[in-house]
Amino acid sequence: MMSSNSANNLLDEALGFNDECGGGGGGLLLLIEDRVETSGAFILHHLIKRRLSSPNRPNDVVVFLSFAHPFSHYDRILRKMGCNLGVQKENKRFVYYDMLNLNYPDGEKGAEDLLLSVYGKIQKTVELCSSREGYKNSTIMIDDISLMEVALCGSSNLVLDFLHYCYSLATQFDCLVIILNHEDVYSTVDVPSPLLQMEYLANIVIKAEPLATGLATDVHGQLTVLNKGICQGSGCSKSKIRNFHFRVKENCVEYFYPGSRT
Amino acid sequence: MAAEAISRALRDGALEGEHAPALTIKDSIHAPLGAFVFDHILAQLSSNISSSKSQAQGIVLVAFARSPQFYAELLKSKANDAASLKKWLRIVDCYTDPLGWKSQLAESGIVSNRSTQNATTASLCKNARDLDMLFSSIVELGKEVIRETKGRFAVAIDSVSEILRHASISSAASLLSNLRSHDQVACLFWLFHSDLHEMKASSALEYISSMVACVEPISNTTNGKGMNSENLPLIEQNLGRGKFSVRFKRRNGRIRLMSEELHTEQMGINFVPAFEDYVTSQSLVPKVQFSLQLSEKERNDRAKVVLPFEHQGDGKPIQIYDGRRSVSESKTENKETNAEKMHVNEDSGRGEIIYIRDSDDEMPDSDEDPDDDLDI
């Protein structure tokens, strides 16, 4: 049984993140899918801490687009995990974009222009970071995609366009893009789900689901991590899939294989 | 083998007066190996082009899903050097800035205008929604790689699914049709993810194609519902192996089906005969209450049958009519049928039938259509 405070837990191993680098994998898109019964927000919080806390990566930056919660929400949660987001924000290592209180224009054209300006800010931040000495990786996080779609007049196409641009930025500047989306939001839609598009685009897909056996007090759900590996022109690494259970505690999360909990 | 048959068809290209062969590669999220197949086909065709074995003298690659650099690395890893690539490869880059956002931001000074293109021969597309402009770009780049006036080029589109995000199915179908009927296009192929589109879009694309290659899961899983440790090995297996079924549409309308398995490896993919190949071919014979095929004994007995007029040959070897007439035979032309000649021997006073068979023995319902090569 491993907690998220230990050096390398099951989640980090499944993601292929090397503890020495405090996270790794530039040029990748990581998709977190959750449900009403099993929120995947804890994975976002864990990854924020991992990307900001590594001593080997003092100049790396996390660019955070929040459509779901105000800054104070994340600050409170990360403090309990031992990470001071306020200080990181002042040091320009945690760049927080409040998308909740923006004035969203009517119509898809207005929404596209707004998205263009947000993308411009992200690219500028990443370019600035990459020019600093000792730069390793940046991280772009979006919480969450379904609310982003709502904000953009329901245009899943615009969201996909934005993700495509973030992905191409990631491959150019060796960034990691992390997005959270809700699987059950799309389940009643007749047309092919935009979530499928994102699954095709993503290099790593983490699904947070309830147990097949239902609710339990000691186990809050299961994570399935599909790591497609890196595919470059000269060759591809093998895809791997891992499944394990988790329990969310006050200040950390425990990950364990089924049946290994004593 | 199916994959080899595809490569041959694309290598051979278009016949005069015919549309270019067109291949659809389709996959789904449960067997997401279509991109591997695309890369394999691209590498094979590139190899034929660089060694001048194909009708196409170059390739125009339309890159939506992966960067031009990815493809340049891919082809370099298959023993092509950069100088050689420049001669016959052109890339329409719909990956870097498909909607012109980066250009707009650079023009307004918000971001730097850092070019991502290095040694690739990529032409930047800033408006993936305009398929007319895309068509013009493809044709223009194609003309750069052909060496003679009547030369042809191949076209590869790495994601028609991306095109369909920006344009309607009718516009996309029109683009592909126009390319297929262009007299300088030797062949074209594209990839799309069938589960991202409605059935009518998939059907429209398949109708335009002369070959449809479908990648399906090797194992049936429960589609991710109730994820558990029992499903995982099957799901993981489907990420590395798949069923590869190809449907070839011949000019005369007949359909030929081939299937095999594909396995992903570090340097690409490998095709192997399907374990159930025999079973599949047997299952194509309709299940009826009478026998449609010959048993071994029946085949042997049939081979021993001497045809009615041939046993009068007096030991002479059985001849097969090759279409040439002798001078004496032309005098009895009025009495001839298609397969027999009647010759009256005036000296002997009795009739004689000289029978020359018009073709070798052929199994009924054989796969090969003898009229297949007719240019009707």
Side-chain angles (χ1 to χ4, degrees), chain A residues 32-90:
Chain A
I32 304 166
E33 289 180 11
D34 69 358
R35 297 188 183 187
V36 167
E37 307 100 316
T38 45
S39 167
F42 68 90
I43 304 169
L44 263 187
H45 307 146
H46 168 75
L47 291 170
I48 292 173
K49 187 186 169 188
R50 285 288 279 180
R51 301 300 277 184
L52 291 175
S53 304
S54 170
N56 298 328
R57 313 169 81 86
N59 288 325
D60 284 0
V61 162
V62 173
V63 179
F64 196 94
L65 269 67
S66 175
F67 293 85
H69 303 288
F71 175 78
S72 53
H73 168 84
Y74 302 101
D75 189 24
R76 190 165 50 245
I77 292 173
L78 269 291
R79 266 181 207 272
K80 286 185 185 173
M81 294 167 68
C83 177
N84 191 328
L85 275 189
V87 167
Q88 302 285 10
K89 197 176 172 199
E90 279 172 28

Side-chain angles (χ1 to χ4, degrees), chain A residues 83-102:
Chain A
C83 177
N84 191 328
L85 275 189
V87 167
Q88 302 285 10
K89 197 176 172 199
E90 279 172 28
N91 295 341
K92 310 277 189 227
R93 287 201 65 206
F94 186 75
V95 179
Y96 176 85
Y97 287 108
D98 181 358
M99 307 299 291
L100 280 171
N101 298 314
L102 278 186

Side-chain angles (χ1 to χ4, degrees), chain A residues 154-169:
Chain A
S155 172
S156 56
N157 230 15
L158 271 182
V159 171
L160 289 166
D161 290 336
F162 183 80
L163 288 179
H164 177 93
Y165 270 90
C166 287
Y167 190 72
S168 84
L169 190 67

Side-chain angles (χ1 to χ4, degrees), chain A residues 112 116 119 127 157 161 164-165 168 171-173 192 196 200 222 224 226 232-236 241 243, chain B residues 28-29 64 74 95 97-102 104 112 116 165-166 193 195-196 227 232 236 239 266-267:
Chain A
E112 186 174 344
L116 174 61
Y119 173 75
E127 278 180 355
N157 230 15
D161 290 336
H164 177 93
Y165 270 90
S168 84
T171 49
Q172 188 182 352
F173 290 100
L196 259 186
Y200 273 110
Q222 56 176 329
T224 306
L226 163 57
Q232 293 161 338
S234 49
C236 297
I241 190 162
N243 175 262
Chain B
S28 64
I29 199 70
F64 275 95
L74 170 75
Y95 172 86
D97 196 9
L99 301 177
W101 286 9
K102 290 184 182 175
Q104 286 181 57
S112 65
T116 58
R165 275 210 312 109
H166 299 296
H193 307 301
D195 47 359
L196 291 181
M227 182 71 70
L232 286 185
E236 196 170 77
L239 297 174
Q266 196 176 1
M267 295 307 294

Side-chain angles (χ1 to χ4, degrees), chain B residues 25 69 105 108 271 296 354 356:
Chain B
I25 303 168
Q69 287 77 15
L105 293 169
S108 48
F271 293 92
E296 193 62 39
I354 299 173
I356 301 177

